[in-house]
Amino acid sequence: FRIMSAGRIVNMEFPASMFSETVVRVAPEILGRMAALIAAIERVVVLPAWRDHVLAWAPEAARHESAARGVFFGYDFHETPDGPKLIEINTNAGGGLLCAWRAGDEALQAAFVDMFRAEWRLERGDAPLRAIAIVDDAPEDQYLYPEFMLFRELFERHGIAAVVCDPRDLMLCHGGLWFEETRIDLVYNRLTDFALAEDAHAALSQSWRDGAAVVTPHPRLHALYADKRNLVALSDDALLAGWGVDAETRAVLAACIPRTELVASGRADDLWARRRQLFFKPAAGYGAKAAWRGDKMTRRVFDEVLAGRYVAQALVTPSTRNIAVDGGTAELKCDLRCYAYDGRIQSVAARLWQGQTTNFRTPGGGFARVVVA
C-alpha cells in the first residue's frame, strides 16, 4: 500500500498474516460487560490503597507522576459460555490504527488524533502541539512498523509534524527533546522497556522525568495497570473488600477476571500438581513472550518459571472460529482486544491464530474486524 509521508509517497507492505478476512460478530451484551469491567478497574486504580500496593513492587521510574492518561490501552478478552474473561491489560497495545485504517474509518482515526491532543493538553494546557515522535527500538525491524508509518501520515494530515525513530536518535539538550533539528513535543512510546531502564533509552527516560517532552504511555501507567501481578489483586475479593471497594464493583471484577496467583518456589509442588489448569505469564511480559500453558510445560521450563517473576492464571480456553483457508476450512482461536482511553472503549478488534499463544503466523489469521450484532 502507499501512504503520503513528509510530502512524499512511501510504499509499504503488510506481512501476509497481519489481517484476517474473517468478520467476528460480538453480541452487544458482551461488549457491555467488557466496558463495565474496564470501568470497574478504573474505580479500583484511583484508590490510594491500590497505588500503594502495586507501586511497592514497581520500578523506581514508576514513582514519577504524570497527568498523561496513556493512549491505546489494550484489554484482551477470551469469550466463554460464562461471558468475557480478561486475560491481560496492555499499556502500549498495537494494531488500533491498522484496524481503523483497513476499515476506512476516518472518524475513528480522527478520534485517535484527538486522544493524543488530549494527552498533550493534560500536561501542557493550550500550548500548541507541533511535533510527535513515534518511538521504538529499530522501528523498521518491528512487525508493526507499517502502523508506525500510518501514524506518521495521520499526524501530518492533521497538521502535526511527525517522525518515526529509534530512541538512540533522540537528544536531550537546550531544555528539550530533539530528533535531528526537530524539537519533539510528545513521544508516542511503543517500547517494551516499560520502565525506560535500558541505557539506550536514557534520553527518553530523562526527558520524561524532567518534563522536557510528554511521554505516553509511560512507566507509571504500566505499573498501575499492566504488570501481570496486578491481576492477583484484582481477583482477590477479600483484599478488594478490605480496601473499601464496593460490592457491585467487586462482582464485576469477579465475573470477568480469572483467578490469578503469584508463582513462588515455596508453592512449587502445588503449582506443578495443578499446572494443567493454569497459564503461566511473566509479570512484565508482553506479546505472549515466555508465557506457557501449564499442560504444555516440561519440568525444565517449570523450574525456569519458578526462578523468574511469574503469575499463574486460571486457564481460560479461547473461543474458536471456522474460516476458509486455501480452499478448505480451519479452526482458529479467537480473542477480543478493546482499545480504550481514559477508561472508555474506542474500538474493538479480534485476533485469530493457531498454537499455544496469540501470534501472527497462522494462514488466515491476524487482526479481524468486529461487528457488534
Side-chain angles (χ1 to χ4, degrees), residues 161-200:
V163 298
V164 176
C165 68
D166 188 296
R168 296 170 182 82
D169 297 327
L170 296 171
M171 295 182 297
L172 186 61
C173 59
H174 306 301
L177 186 67
W178 297 78
F179 173 77
E180 297 178 348
E181 297 180 358
T182 300
R183 181 165 181 163
I184 301 302
D185 296 319
L186 183 147
V187 172
Y188 176 25
N189 174 24
R190 294 290 291 255
L191 294 165
T192 53
D193 171 19
F194 302 115
L196 299 180
E198 297 177 15
D199 290 345

Side-chain angles (χ1 to χ4, degrees), residues 3-166:
I3 61 173
M4 178 69 73
S5 185
R8 60 191 176 90
I9 297 292
V10 178
N11 292 315
M12 299 291 298
E13 184 174 338
F14 289 127
S17 57
M18 180 171 284
F19 294 114
S20 174
E21 297 300 323
T22 301
V23 174
V24 174
R25 287 174 167 76
V26 175
E29 55 267 30
I30 296 298
L31 180 62
R33 293 181 69 174
M34 293 190 297
L37 184 276
I38 293 169
I41 290 172
E42 289 291 325
R43 293 195 291 274
V44 173
V45 169
V46 298
L47 296 175
W50 172 265
R51 300 195 176 204
D52 291 344
H53 183 80
V54 302
L55 291 179
W57 56 50
E60 181 61 31
R63 285 156 178 75
H64 177 73
E65 296 190 26
S66 171
R69 295 286 299 141
V71 296
F72 288 105
F73 275 29
Y75 293 82
D76 295 342
F77 293 86
H78 286 175
E79 278 192 275
T80 77
D82 297 323
K85 303 296 182 183
L86 179 72
I87 302 305
E88 63 183 29
I89 305 171
N90 298 286
T91 49
N92 66 346
L97 179 57
L98 283 171
C99 296
W101 177 85
R102 189 166 186 255
D105 193 335
E106 294 187 4
L108 180 56
Q109 294 177 54
F112 291 158
V113 177
D114 290 342
M115 172 175 60
F116 281 90
R117 292 190 188 278
E119 289 286 89
W120 173 254
R121 286 194 298 271
L122 286 169
E123 290 279 351
R124 298 292 193 269
D126 295 331
L129 173 58
R130 296 189 176 95
I132 294 178
I134 302 112
V135 174
D136 203 351
D137 290 318
E140 293 186 10
D141 297 334
Q142 299 293 333
Y143 183 80
L144 292 181
Y145 177 64
E147 183 172 54
F148 300 167
M149 295 301 291
L150 285 174
F151 271 112
R152 177 175 172 172
E153 180 196 39
L154 177 64
F155 292 140
E156 290 174 345
R157 278 195 280 121
H158 286 262
I160 305 170
V163 298
V164 176
C165 68
D166 188 296

Side-chain angles (χ1 to χ4, degrees), residues 263-277:
V263 172
S265 58
R267 303 178 58 233
D269 291 343
D270 173 55
L271 291 168
W272 178 255
R274 295 187 292 116
R275 70 190 184 280
R276 297 182 186 280
Q277 289 77 48

